[in-house]
């Protein structure tokens, strides 16, 4: 049986016990969430070195780091270094989005590098195999090519796969009738739209959805229903194409869960701040509480080089409103393949967003680290402050390089005029 089927029959699997322990909750609570479809366990049966990751309602907000080569940069070594850096920085999951070089080898190497949850977009592989290996255009992919790509990733142990099943001919027509500034910015979505137009056919992952479910079932991987019509700019957010796709994903969620397959939903995208909460609530309603995995949202379009910040702002609002899984955005989004340092900055930004949201959600223990920081700051205990910092090395480096005069124990901002020292003197006087 799958994890969903076991949970619905009242059985607590070993994976559920492990994931519950990591969440500091009772296994029975997690089982109930999985049974209801409001949480999932990401762990492919083939991913023998992977630890199970629980994502969903009432759980700590999880974070993902995207990795992967491009046709302009095919270095396996660089991607493995990024994987190590992302893991060390505290990412919960890695997505391999490679589209250049020996893709199979890269994916296998990333899976072997850490015990983190692994995601992928199999359609990228199918497209690359068509173009590079078979020498034919993407639009000449066959249905068998597409499903072979899915099979390959599942067999390699990928824990969750993004599939753009809601990109249909009807949804495309709605987009065309309304109009968009950026049309389709999802790479997988654009491949699918191009394929449908050229072949005058329906999206195979939608038309043959039952076949997809049967393919996933033996691996017990999670279907991450992708948002092919996610808005690529503020002007396109919450339009008919985006909402129509979400309606379809809600229907596909029920079909998958009826077949014993776990599902999460992917979401926007670029979106004005005042639309984010409504989008989260709409997704939760239409998809019956299935976990929501969001990219950003990016709350402005004009900050290339700083999109880890625009993403963290939107991600905090989204997660506080109920999003369960945040995909990082690096400073190099829209500009280049991220460097190792970009990956580190992106993970830190998204972890800050997730943590800030968990405090709002009331996740048990979320605020404890903040309270500890307050105590250490009051005491001017710098080692203590580093120990509870989200990025201890950076905090220590910045203080050390400031040339602080340690005789007063404060920092170079206030020195001997430090407010903590003033208040400490007041407390000592009161004690006397």
């Amino acid at each position: 049986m799958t994890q969903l089927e076991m949970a619905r029959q009242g059985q607590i699997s070993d994976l559920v016990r492990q994931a519950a322990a990591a969440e500091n909750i009772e296994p029975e609570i997690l089982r109930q969430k999985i049974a209801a479809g409001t949480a999932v366990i990401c762990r492919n049966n083939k991913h023998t070195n992977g630890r199970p990751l629980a994502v969903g309602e009432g759980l700590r907000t999880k974070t993902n780091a995207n990795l992967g080569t491009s046709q302009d940069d095919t270095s396996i070594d660089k991607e493995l270094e990024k994987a190590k850096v992302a893991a060390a920085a505290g990412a919960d999951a890695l997505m391999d989005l490679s589209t250049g070089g020996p893709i199979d080898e890269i994916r296998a190497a990333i899976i072997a590098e850490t015990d983190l949850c692994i995601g992928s977009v199999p359609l990228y592989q199918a497209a690359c195999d068509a173009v590079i290996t078979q020498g034919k255009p993407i639009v000449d992919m066959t249905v068998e090519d597409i499903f072979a790509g899915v099979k390959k990733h599942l067999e390699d142990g990928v824990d969750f796969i993004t599939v753009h099943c809601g990109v249909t001919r009807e949804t495309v027509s709605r987009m065309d009738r309304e109009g968009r500034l950026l049309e389709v910015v999802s790479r997988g979505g654009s491949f699918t739209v191009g394929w449908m137009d050229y072949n005058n056919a329906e999206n195979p992952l939608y038309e043959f959805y039952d076949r997809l479910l049967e393919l996933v079932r033996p691996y017990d991987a999670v279907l991450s229903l992708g948002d092919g019509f996610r808005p690529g700019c503020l002007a396109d957010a919450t339009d008919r194409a985006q909402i129509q796709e979400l309606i379809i994903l809600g229907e596909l969620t029920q079909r998958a869960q009826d077949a014993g397959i776990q599902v999460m939903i992917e979401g926007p995208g670029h979106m004005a701040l005042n639309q984010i909460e409504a989008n989260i609530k709409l997704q939760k309603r239409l998809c019956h509480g299935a976990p929501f995995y969001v990219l950003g949202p990016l709350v402005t379009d004009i900050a290339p080089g700083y999109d880890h910040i625009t993403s963290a702002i939107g991600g905090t609002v989204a997660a506080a409103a109920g999003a369960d899984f945040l995909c990082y955005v690096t400073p190099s989004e829209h500009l280049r393949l991220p460097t190792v340092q970009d990956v580190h900055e992106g993970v830190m930004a998204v972890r800050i967003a997730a943590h800030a949201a968990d405090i709002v959600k009331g996740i048990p223990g979320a605020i404890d680290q903040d309270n500890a920081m307050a105590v250490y700051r009051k005491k001017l205990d710098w080692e203590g402050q580093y120990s509870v910092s989200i990025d201890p090395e950076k905090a220590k480096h910045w203080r050390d390089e400031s040339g602080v005069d340690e005789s007063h124990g404060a920092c170079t901002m206030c020195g001997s005029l430090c407010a903590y020292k003033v208040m400490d003197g007041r407390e000592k006087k009161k004690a006397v």
Side-chain angles (χ1 to χ4, degrees):
M1 291 188 292
T2 65
Q3 292 295 323
L4 177 55
E5 289 170 331
M6 284 188 280
R8 286 180 168 176
Q9 291 193 16
Q11 299 181 36
I12 298 176
S13 70
D14 289 341
L15 293 182
V16 169
R17 292 185 190 280
Q18 293 174 43
E23 293 291 320
N24 291 315
I25 62 172
E26 291 298 320
E28 172 60 18
I29 294 175
L30 181 55
R31 183 203 65 78
Q32 292 175 12
K33 294 178 185 295
I34 295 169
T38 60
V40 297
I41 295 288
C42 294
R43 176 41 160 71
N44 185 321
N45 291 334
K46 291 277 188 175
H47 191 181
T48 55
N49 69 319
R51 64 174 185 256
L53 181 68
V55 179
E57 179 186 43
L59 307 176
R60 179 178 61 83
T61 303
K62 304 306 187 299
T63 60
N64 173 73
N66 287 341
L67 307 174
T69 58
S70 71
Q71 293 181 7
D72 293 325
D73 192 336
T74 62
S75 171
I76 294 180
D77 291 340
K78 284 184 183 178
E79 297 313 307
L80 289 181
E81 186 178 2
K82 292 176 190 177
K84 292 177 184 177
V85 166
D92 296 296
L94 306 174
M95 282 197 82
D96 174 29
L97 307 181
S98 293
T99 56
I103 297 175
D104 291 331
E105 293 178 32
I106 295 166
R107 182 171 59 257
I110 290 174
I111 291 173
E113 184 61 42
T114 77
D115 62 356
L116 295 184
C117 173
I118 302 292
S120 71
V121 185
L123 187 60
Y124 291 1
Q125 171 111 43
C128 290
D129 284 349
V131 173
I132 299 170
T133 305
Q134 302 177 41
K136 61 185 183 183
I138 290 174
V139 294
D140 279 341
M141 285 187 297
T142 66
V143 173
E144 294 307 315
D145 290 335
I146 293 170
F147 277 93
V150 174
K151 173 76 172 178
K152 183 180 291 186
H153 284 227
L154 291 171
E155 189 65 24
D156 283 350
V158 171
D159 300 300
F160 66 94
I161 56 170
T162 294
V163 281
H164 298 89
C165 303
V167 178
T168 67
R169 301 185 77 183
E170 173 59 26
T171 317
V172 173
S173 69
R174 288 176 185 269
M175 177 189 71
D176 289 340
R177 289 195 297 270
E178 182 171 9
R180 272 187 165 193
L181 288 184
L182 289 180
E183 296 185 305
V184 179
V185 300
S186 158
R187 189 159 44 181
S190 70
F191 292 172
T192 305
V193 171
W195 189 94
M196 290 191 297
D197 285 347
Y198 181 82
N199 292 281
N200 193 30
E202 186 54 272
N203 175 3
L205 293 176
Y206 176 75
E207 184 175 3
F208 306 111
Y209 188 64
D210 289 337
R211 177 180 175 183
L212 176 64
L213 299 180
E214 291 172 4
L215 185 58
V216 170
R217 181 182 176 83
Y219 303 93
D220 205 5
V222 172
L223 273 187
S224 188
L225 297 178
D227 51 337
F229 290 97
R230 71 170 182 265
C233 63
L234 301 190
D236 294 340
T238 322
D239 67 351
R240 290 198 295 266
Q242 182 196 338
I243 301 306
Q244 172 66 18
E245 181 181 35
L246 186 58
I247 291 171
I248 293 171
L249 296 186
E251 295 168 350
L252 296 180
T253 296
Q254 285 187 287
R255 286 175 59 185
Q257 291 174 344
D258 288 345
I261 308 300
Q262 300 181 96
V263 175
M264 60 184 175
I265 310 298
E266 297 186 14
H270 292 237
M271 182 169 290
L273 199 66
N274 62 343
Q275 296 182 37
I276 295 174
E277 183 176 0
N279 265 261
I280 303 300
K281 291 181 177 179
L282 186 61
Q283 180 277 334
K284 289 288 185 175
R285 174 65 185 89
L286 293 177
C287 300
H288 300 277
F292 202 15
Y293 174 33
V294 299
L295 176 68
L298 285 74
V299 296
T300 181
D301 300 331
I302 64 167
Y306 299 92
D307 277 330
H308 59 312
I309 297 174
T310 64
S311 173
I313 294 169
T316 303
V317 176
D324 308 287
F325 198 0
L326 301 181
C327 184
Y328 85 168
V329 171
T330 73
S332 56
E333 184 78 6
H334 303 110
L335 300 172
R336 68 180 184 191
L337 198 68
T339 65
V340 170
Q341 183 59 32
D342 292 336
V343 168
H344 178 83
E345 292 295 319
V347 172
M348 288 302 169
V350 76
R351 283 188 60 210
I352 292 168
H355 179 74
D358 284 349
I359 293 171
V360 175
K361 290 177 178 178
I363 300 298
I367 203 169
D368 292 352
Q369 197 169 343
D370 298 77
N371 290 339
M373 177 65 83
V375 171
Y376 288 132
R377 280 181 173 156
K378 181 178 176 63
K379 296 177 179 179
L380 294 177
D381 180 345
W382 297 99
E383 292 301 324
Q385 290 179 54
Y386 303 148
S387 71
V388 295
S389 295
I390 198 166
D391 191 348
E393 291 185 11
K394 185 171 186 176
K396 187 175 190 311
H397 173 70
W398 279 29
R399 175 174 166 77
D400 289 347
E401 76 169 5
S402 70
V404 64
D405 179 359
E406 294 291 355
S407 65
H408 53 61
C411 72
T412 56
M413 176 68 76
C414 298
S416 62
L417 301 179
C418 173
Y420 300 136
K421 294 178 72 64
V422 172
M423 297 307 294
D424 183 55
R426 179 173 181 267
E427 290 183 4
K428 288 179 179 177
K429 184 176 181 180
K430 287 171 64 177
V432 173

